[in-house]
Amino acid sequence: NVQLGLNAGLGQNVNSVAIGTNAGLSSQGSYGISMGYRAGYLSQNTQSIAIGTSAGTSYQDTRSIAIGISAGNNRQGSSAVAIGFQAGLTSQAAGGIAIGWRCGEAGQGTDSIAIGTAAGLTGIGSGTIILASGTGGLSNTTTNAFFVKNMRTITSGQVGSIMAHGGAGEVFETTTYVDTNGSFVCPN
């Protein structure tokens, strides 16, 4: 075990690392790594990694990764990944991936992916993928869907095209001819 810093690793299990004030303070699981002020502070489970101020602060589940200020801060699910400022901040479900500034910040569903500035900021449904660029973010709690923000637009589509609804940013495949009226189309 490694303990470096005021109150670091006080609740450590075997083969764990706690570096920083209050890092790994209470119930740090075996093979866990906590680096930064209050990283992995309360109930960091086995084989989890929390790096950054308040990363993985409370209830970080098994084999999850939180890197960045307040990443995976509260209730990060098993095998979840949060990288970036406040990525996966609150209630990031198992298997969720959040990469970028404030991605998946509040309520990221199971096995969902949020990438880019504020992607899934206020919620993302289970099995859903959100890619966002620029300001304003994009959130949607629909399950098993694919959303993209900031795409090129054209005015018509054809059968079998991959399309996106311009306003909502949802990407889907058409089975009949659709006049997209300004939505993105990528013919197959």
Side-chain angles (χ1 to χ4, degrees):
N1 287 353
V2 175
Q3 301 166 330
L4 181 61
L6 180 64
N7 297 324
L10 289 181
Q12 239 176 10
N13 281 303
V14 298
N15 300 315
S16 295
V17 176
I19 299 173
T21 300
N22 295 327
L25 178 72
S26 177
S27 300
Q28 184 183 25
S30 300
Y31 309 100
I33 298 171
S34 297
M35 297 175 64
Y37 174 73
R38 291 179 55 104
Y41 177 80
L42 173 65
S43 294
Q44 181 188 37
N45 275 303
T46 304
Q47 299 175 338
S48 290
I49 299 169
I51 300 173
T53 299
S54 296
T57 295
S58 58
Y59 306 103
Q60 185 183 27
D61 212 342
T62 307
R63 295 175 309 280
S64 56
I65 299 170
I67 300 173
I69 295 172
S70 296
N73 181 271
N74 185 27
R75 300 199 182 280
Q76 184 182 32
S78 63
S79 302
V81 176
I83 300 173
F85 175 77
Q86 293 184 347
L89 180 71
T90 303
S91 300
Q92 183 184 29
I97 298 171
I99 301 173
W101 183 82
R102 297 181 70 188
C103 283
E105 185 177 272
Q108 183 176 5
T110 304
D111 298 323
S112 62
I113 300 170
I115 299 176
T117 302
L121 176 68
T122 60
I124 178 172
S126 294
T128 292
I129 299 169
I130 295 179
L131 306 176
S133 65
T135 59
L138 175 64
S139 296
N140 199 298
T141 55
T142 302
T143 59
N144 301 313
F146 179 49
F147 296 89
V148 179
K149 181 176 179 188
N150 292 342
M151 297 182 295
R152 180 179 71 89
T153 60
I154 62 174
T155 58
S156 64
Q158 61 188 10
V159 175
S161 295
I162 296 174
M163 307 174 70
H165 181 275
E170 182 175 13
V171 177
F172 55 93
E173 182 178 7
T174 64
T175 56
T176 60
Y177 176 82
V178 175
D179 181 355
T180 62
N181 198 15
S183 296
F184 169 86
V185 176
C186 179
N188 57 357

